[in-house]
Amino acid sequence: MTKELKGKHFLSCDDWTKEELDVVFDTSFELKEQFRNEVPHLHLPHKTLFMIFFEQSTRTRNSMEAGMTQLGGHAHDLTSDKMQLSHGESPKDTAIILSRMGHGIASRNCFYGIGYDYLNEMAEHSTKPVMSLQDDIYHPFQGLADLMTIFEQFGKNLKGLKVTVSWAYADTHSKPLSVPQTQALLFPRFGIDLTIVHPEEFPLSKNIIERANKRAEEGGGSLKIVNDMDEAFEGAQIVIPKNWGGFGAYGVQEYLDNEDKCKKEMKENLEKYKSWICDERRIKLADKNVKLMHALPADRGHEVTNEIIDNPDISVVFDEAENRLHTAKAIMALTM
Ligand code: CP
């Protein structure tokens, strides 16, 4: 295991060079092979990771905890209500203390305008690597698993691959912008021609799109934003239909100062777009060998129909979910 990345925080894929990410992917594929063949790979014997979840999780929690066990260490599965954080202890003090007791800190905090800053404050004061398990801006572990799955499906040269990330209707909760924003920043760096489609009221953050355009120029891919779901599906080789909240329509301070009003507007806007679903008709607009990806959990019957997500010729969502394990282990093994 290379020593060069030891101690490096993982708060966004955008903080890692393409060369560093290539090392992560090579390690992920190696670890996947070893996992499949039951070859022991105890890169982190006796090491401890502290995980602090402010929100629910299935994939992230279990990929990290199972990953630590398989690497020979242990992960503490903590929630904010179990800790003095709930009585106001600062992220700074928490990070100093946990980094004295273990070898890594990971946290999920998706509160809009708060989560990423919170993780950054921990990283500033931790002497051990801090990893984002998703925040209000980024979901870096998801981005890695997505790209690993794309490599498996289309090979390592992704130049010109047509990928569509589409907003879709859901009636659950206002999901963070972090998954599509991570994809917007990451995919074009690897040569992908990315189309993002959303209703006008559900944009991604302006500063992320500006940065994603720069990343596309550097990486040889491209980024296009449109508002017509059918148009965005035409010829796509991968479609990723996913709901996100309308947070990007507001400045962070504007949202925090008027949270109730913004939430009400977002809910009203959401109900206008129930037809934004990935179904048989729309899949037929895409490339004949199109693949469906989704970070999961999927809102079946709203974001995507059962017949599409359960179609093994189209859907690779469970490979994508499994790859959360291998990419998580790569980051932990390389940084801790
Ligand atoms: N995709 C993802 O992050 O899933 P969980 O919310 O279950 O962790």
Side-chain angles (χ1 to χ4, degrees), residues 56-61 108 134 139 142 295-297 324:
Q56 299 81 351
S57 164
T58 296
R59 279 140 291 269
T60 307
R61 182 192 305 282
R108 168 175 285 191
Q134 187 176 19
H139 195 350
Q142 187 62 50
L296 304 180
R324 292 294 309 273

mmCIF file of all heavy atoms in Angstrom, residues 56-61 108 134 139 142 295-297 324, ligand 1:
data_model
loop_
_atom_site.group_PDB
_atom_site.id
_atom_site.type_symbol
_atom_site.label_atom_id
_atom_site.label_comp_id
_atom_site.label_asym_id
_atom_site.label_seq_id
_atom_site.Cartn_x
_atom_site.Cartn_y
_atom_site.Cartn_z
ATOM 1 N N GLN A 56 -29.538 9.045 8.581
ATOM 2 C CA GLN A 56 -29.629 7.606 8.328
ATOM 3 C C GLN A 56 -28.691 7.194 7.185
ATOM 4 O O GLN A 56 -28.332 8.017 6.349
ATOM 5 C CB GLN A 56 -31.057 7.222 7.911
ATOM 6 C CG GLN A 56 -32.126 7.503 8.935
ATOM 7 C CD GLN A 56 -32.597 8.954 8.945
ATOM 8 O OE1 GLN A 56 -32.021 9.817 8.306
ATOM 9 N NE2 GLN A 56 -33.646 9.213 9.696
ATOM 10 N N SER A 57 -28.367 5.909 7.167
ATOM 11 C CA SER A 57 -27.556 5.383 6.061
ATOM 12 C C SER A 57 -27.612 3.865 6.054
ATOM 13 O O SER A 57 -27.598 3.237 7.118
ATOM 14 C CB SER A 57 -26.098 5.821 6.225
ATOM 15 O OG SER A 57 -25.264 5.043 5.400
ATOM 16 N N THR A 58 -27.654 3.292 4.886
ATOM 17 C CA THR A 58 -27.513 1.835 4.732
ATOM 18 C C THR A 58 -26.165 1.501 4.078
ATOM 19 O O THR A 58 -25.323 0.829 4.662
ATOM 20 C CB THR A 58 -28.670 1.265 3.894
ATOM 21 O OG1 THR A 58 -29.884 1.481 4.609
ATOM 22 C CG2 THR A 58 -28.498 -0.230 3.652
ATOM 23 N N ARG A 59 -25.952 2.018 2.858
ATOM 24 C CA ARG A 59 -24.745 1.690 2.109
ATOM 25 C C ARG A 59 -23.484 2.250 2.758
ATOM 26 O O ARG A 59 -22.479 1.550 2.909
ATOM 27 C CB ARG A 59 -24.829 2.226 0.665
ATOM 28 C CG ARG A 59 -25.629 1.346 -0.262
ATOM 29 C CD ARG A 59 -26.474 2.190 -1.173
ATOM 30 N NE ARG A 59 -27.506 2.821 -0.388
ATOM 31 C CZ ARG A 59 -28.718 2.300 -0.180
ATOM 32 N NH1 ARG A 59 -29.047 1.193 -0.746
ATOM 33 N NH2 ARG A 59 -29.600 2.914 0.601
ATOM 34 N N THR A 60 -23.539 3.517 3.120
ATOM 35 C CA THR A 60 -22.318 4.167 3.603
ATOM 36 C C THR A 60 -21.886 3.569 4.930
ATOM 37 O O THR A 60 -20.728 3.176 5.111
ATOM 38 C CB THR A 60 -22.580 5.681 3.733
ATOM 39 O OG1 THR A 60 -23.089 6.152 2.484
ATOM 40 C CG2 THR A 60 -21.318 6.425 4.093
ATOM 41 N N ARG A 61 -22.828 3.477 5.857
ATOM 42 C CA ARG A 61 -22.525 2.923 7.183
ATOM 43 C C ARG A 61 -21.930 1.517 7.054
ATOM 44 O O ARG A 61 -20.894 1.200 7.629
ATOM 45 C CB ARG A 61 -23.835 2.851 7.982
ATOM 46 C CG ARG A 61 -23.700 2.352 9.399
ATOM 47 C CD ARG A 61 -25.079 2.059 9.976
ATOM 48 N NE ARG A 61 -26.006 3.174 9.922
ATOM 49 C CZ ARG A 61 -26.019 4.214 10.748
ATOM 50 N NH1 ARG A 61 -25.112 4.308 11.693
ATOM 51 N NH2 ARG A 61 -26.921 5.172 10.619
ATOM 52 N N ARG A 108 -21.139 11.938 8.417
ATOM 53 C CA ARG A 108 -22.189 12.377 7.480
ATOM 54 C C ARG A 108 -22.969 13.491 8.148
ATOM 55 O O ARG A 108 -23.527 13.308 9.226
ATOM 56 C CB ARG A 108 -23.124 11.222 7.123
ATOM 57 C CG ARG A 108 -24.381 11.689 6.403
ATOM 58 C CD ARG A 108 -25.258 10.545 5.925
ATOM 59 N NE ARG A 108 -24.674 9.912 4.761
ATOM 60 C CZ ARG A 108 -25.314 9.013 3.998
ATOM 61 N NH1 ARG A 108 -26.555 8.661 4.282
ATOM 62 N NH2 ARG A 108 -24.728 8.474 2.948
ATOM 63 N N GLN A 134 -20.828 12.015 3.284
ATOM 64 C CA GLN A 134 -21.828 12.824 2.571
ATOM 65 C C GLN A 134 -22.102 14.070 3.406
ATOM 66 O O GLN A 134 -22.279 14.000 4.620
ATOM 67 C CB GLN A 134 -23.154 12.089 2.339
ATOM 68 C CG GLN A 134 -24.113 12.887 1.444
ATOM 69 C CD GLN A 134 -25.397 12.149 1.107
ATOM 70 O OE1 GLN A 134 -25.778 11.199 1.789
ATOM 71 N NE2 GLN A 134 -26.078 12.594 0.072
ATOM 72 N N HIS A 139 -20.596 14.111 -1.994
ATOM 73 C CA HIS A 139 -20.684 12.718 -1.512
ATOM 74 C C HIS A 139 -19.549 11.955 -2.201
ATOM 75 O O HIS A 139 -19.750 11.187 -3.143
ATOM 76 C CB HIS A 139 -22.045 12.120 -1.885
ATOM 77 C CG HIS A 139 -22.379 10.849 -1.157
ATOM 78 N ND1 HIS A 139 -21.465 10.154 -0.375
ATOM 79 C CD2 HIS A 139 -23.536 10.144 -1.089
ATOM 80 C CE1 HIS A 139 -22.041 9.093 0.129
ATOM 81 N NE2 HIS A 139 -23.300 9.055 -0.275
ATOM 82 N N GLN A 142 -19.544 8.134 -2.851
ATOM 83 C CA GLN A 142 -20.495 7.741 -3.892
ATOM 84 C C GLN A 142 -19.888 7.980 -5.283
ATOM 85 O O GLN A 142 -20.018 7.149 -6.186
ATOM 86 C CB GLN A 142 -21.817 8.512 -3.739
ATOM 87 C CG GLN A 142 -22.900 8.029 -4.687
ATOM 88 C CD GLN A 142 -23.284 6.578 -4.442
ATOM 89 O OE1 GLN A 142 -23.554 6.194 -3.323
ATOM 90 N NE2 GLN A 142 -23.286 5.763 -5.482
ATOM 91 N N ALA A 295 -27.563 5.988 -7.011
ATOM 92 C CA ALA A 295 -26.810 5.855 -5.754
ATOM 93 C C ALA A 295 -27.563 4.996 -4.747
ATOM 94 O O ALA A 295 -26.955 4.416 -3.851
ATOM 95 C CB ALA A 295 -26.556 7.246 -5.171
ATOM 96 N N LEU A 296 -28.877 4.914 -4.860
ATOM 97 C CA LEU A 296 -29.772 4.242 -3.919
ATOM 98 C C LEU A 296 -29.729 4.953 -2.553
ATOM 99 O O LEU A 296 -28.688 5.496 -2.212
ATOM 100 C CB LEU A 296 -29.450 2.750 -3.774
ATOM 101 C CG LEU A 296 -29.458 1.932 -5.079
ATOM 102 C CD1 LEU A 296 -29.124 0.459 -4.750
ATOM 103 C CD2 LEU A 296 -30.803 2.006 -5.788
ATOM 104 N N PRO A 297 -30.782 4.967 -1.783
ATOM 105 C CA PRO A 297 -32.037 4.259 -2.037
ATOM 106 C C PRO A 297 -32.818 4.914 -3.176
ATOM 107 O O PRO A 297 -32.855 6.146 -3.282
ATOM 108 C CB PRO A 297 -32.808 4.401 -0.712
ATOM 109 C CG PRO A 297 -32.267 5.655 -0.093
ATOM 110 C CD PRO A 297 -30.836 5.727 -0.501
ATOM 111 N N ARG A 324 -19.375 0.503 -3.387
ATOM 112 C CA ARG A 324 -19.176 1.378 -2.231
ATOM 113 C C ARG A 324 -18.204 0.720 -1.239
ATOM 114 O O ARG A 324 -17.395 1.398 -0.620
ATOM 115 C CB ARG A 324 -20.515 1.685 -1.545
ATOM 116 C CG ARG A 324 -21.482 2.556 -2.345
ATOM 117 C CD ARG A 324 -20.932 3.962 -2.540
ATOM 118 N NE ARG A 324 -20.514 4.540 -1.279
ATOM 119 C CZ ARG A 324 -21.322 5.204 -0.444
ATOM 120 N NH1 ARG A 324 -22.587 5.402 -0.771
ATOM 121 N NH2 ARG A 324 -20.862 5.692 0.691
HETATM 122 N N1 CP B 1 -25.955 6.027 -1.519
HETATM 123 C C1 CP B 1 -25.880 6.204 -0.169
HETATM 124 O O1 CP B 1 -25.121 7.043 0.332
HETATM 125 O O2 CP B 1 -26.681 5.380 0.535
HETATM 126 P P1 CP B 1 -26.937 5.466 2.109
HETATM 127 O O3 CP B 1 -27.672 6.767 2.349
HETATM 128 O O4 CP B 1 -27.764 4.282 2.443
HETATM 129 O O5 CP B 1 -25.621 5.483 2.811
#
